[in-house]
């Protein structure tokens, strides 16, 4: 039992840090605030994570594992309904670690490890979206020229990556609060999938309108 205590403390530190980063933004959260929220001494926090960057990197590793597991399921997407579920799941994962996207440029400018690892994230997202487009093409859900696959995938990744930044700029005080999560995720998934609309088979396009219309995403 004694040997497991440090691991539990380290896990709790990450949980509270993630909550604070998501709520206030990483630049606005100090290690002093984290230790105070946990009710532990700064020295105890330092014992587990000697620098703030180590907290950020540990949280990013968790995010990366969750994201890659989801991206690996991209080869199972065959139609609009699959794509809607896949995209919403992606946004749920991004939302859970939304501080990374809210403060992305600032984080990348200060953290070399994050800079290189996030480049890999973008490549993995793009590869997964290409797989989605290919799978939907094989099933007849989309009709897209091979030359359009890459730019379309890139555009979808851009919206996927910067959607929460757009939400934040539009409503800085409320956009990234938990109460607004569902609507933010639905809007994001809706706008990403709308990029597929010109290539969708007629019945699939109609199904997309039915799926997204149920959530009444605002313009």
């Amino acid at each position: 039992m004694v040997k497991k205590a440090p691991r539990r403390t380290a896990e709790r530190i990450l949980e509270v840090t993630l909550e604070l980063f998501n709520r206030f933004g990483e630049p606005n959260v100090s290690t002093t605030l984290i230790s105070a929220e946990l009710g532990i001494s700064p020295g105890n926090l330092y014992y587990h994570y000697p620098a703030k960057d180590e907290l950020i990197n540990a949280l990013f590793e968790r995010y990366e594992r969750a994201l890659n597991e989801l991206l690996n399921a991209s080869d199972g997407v065959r139609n609009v309904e699959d794509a809607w579920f896949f995209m919403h799941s992606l946004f749920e994962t991004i939302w859970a670690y939304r501080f990374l996207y809210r403060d992305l440029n600032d984080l990348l400018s200060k953290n070399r490890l994050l800079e290189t690892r996030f480049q890999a994230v973008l490549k993995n997202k793009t590869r997964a979206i290409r797989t989605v487009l290919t799978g939907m093409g094989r099933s007849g859900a989309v009709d897209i020229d091979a030359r359009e696959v890459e730019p379309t995938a890139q555009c979808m990744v851009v919206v996927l990556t910067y959607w929460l930044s757009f939400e934040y700029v539009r409503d800085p005080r409320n956009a990234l609060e938990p109460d607004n999560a569902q609507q933010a995720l639905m809007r994001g998934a809706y706008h990403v999938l709308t990029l597929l609309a010109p290539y969708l088979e007629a019945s699939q396009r109609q199904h997309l309108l039915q799926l997204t219309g149920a959530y009444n995403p605002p313009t």
Side-chain angles (χ1 to χ4, degrees), residues 5-165:
R7 189 185 311 170
R8 287 200 298 270
T9 300
E11 291 293 311
R12 178 63 179 151
I13 288 171
L14 286 182
E15 290 170 4
V16 170
T17 299
L18 178 60
E19 182 181 343
L20 292 173
F21 281 178
N22 280 342
R23 182 177 180 187
F24 300 113
E26 178 274 330
N28 302 314
V29 176
S30 65
T31 53
T32 302
L33 176 60
I34 295 169
S35 59
E37 186 73 14
L38 284 157
I40 63 176
S41 68
N44 195 357
L45 177 64
Y46 180 82
Y47 171 79
H48 294 282
Y49 299 98
K52 190 178 179 183
D53 272 355
E54 293 197 21
L55 286 164
I56 295 169
N57 292 343
L59 288 172
F60 178 80
E61 287 176 2
R62 284 184 165 194
Y63 161 72
E64 193 175 35
R65 285 195 299 270
L67 180 68
N68 286 337
E69 182 177 347
L70 179 56
L71 293 178
N72 288 337
S74 59
D75 59 359
V77 177
R78 293 290 180 270
N79 53 46
V80 159
E81 189 144 354
D82 292 341
W84 174 255
F85 178 77
F86 177 73
M87 202 58 60
H88 189 261
S89 298
L90 277 178
F91 272 104
E92 284 183 333
T93 302
I94 290 172
W95 180 269
Y97 294 87
R98 58 194 176 276
F99 82 93
L100 290 168
Y101 289 84
R102 170 179 170 172
D103 306 307
L104 181 57
N105 291 346
D106 183 64
L107 285 168
L108 297 186
S109 69
K110 297 186 301 184
N111 188 316
R112 177 61 179 168
L113 176 64
L114 213 62
E115 178 186 345
T116 56
R117 296 278 287 276
F118 217 93
Q119 289 171 356
V121 164
L122 290 182
K123 290 179 182 178
N124 290 338
K125 284 180 183 177
T126 305
R127 183 169 57 247
I129 296 299
R130 284 199 304 266
T131 300
V132 166
L133 294 176
T134 301
M136 293 180 72
R138 287 173 178 165
S139 69
V142 301
D143 182 10
I144 183 170
D145 190 294
R147 294 168 294 182
E148 295 180 278
V149 169
E150 185 63 26
T152 301
Q154 291 277 1
C155 287
M156 293 174 74
V157 170
V158 168
V159 178
L160 181 64
T161 301
Y162 288 100
W163 181 256
L164 290 186
S165 294

Side-chain angles (χ1 to χ4, degrees), residues 158-199:
V158 168
V159 178
L160 181 64
T161 301
Y162 288 100
W163 181 256
L164 290 186
S165 294
F166 175 76
E167 290 274 346
Y168 180 71
V169 171
R170 188 166 62 176
D171 187 6
R173 293 182 180 274
N174 302 302
L176 302 188
E177 292 299 315
D179 288 347
N180 298 310
Q182 194 65 9
Q183 284 301 313
L185 299 181
M186 292 300 180
R187 283 194 293 267
Y190 166 76
H191 283 285
V192 173
L193 288 180
T194 295
L195 294 170
L196 287 183
Y199 309 106

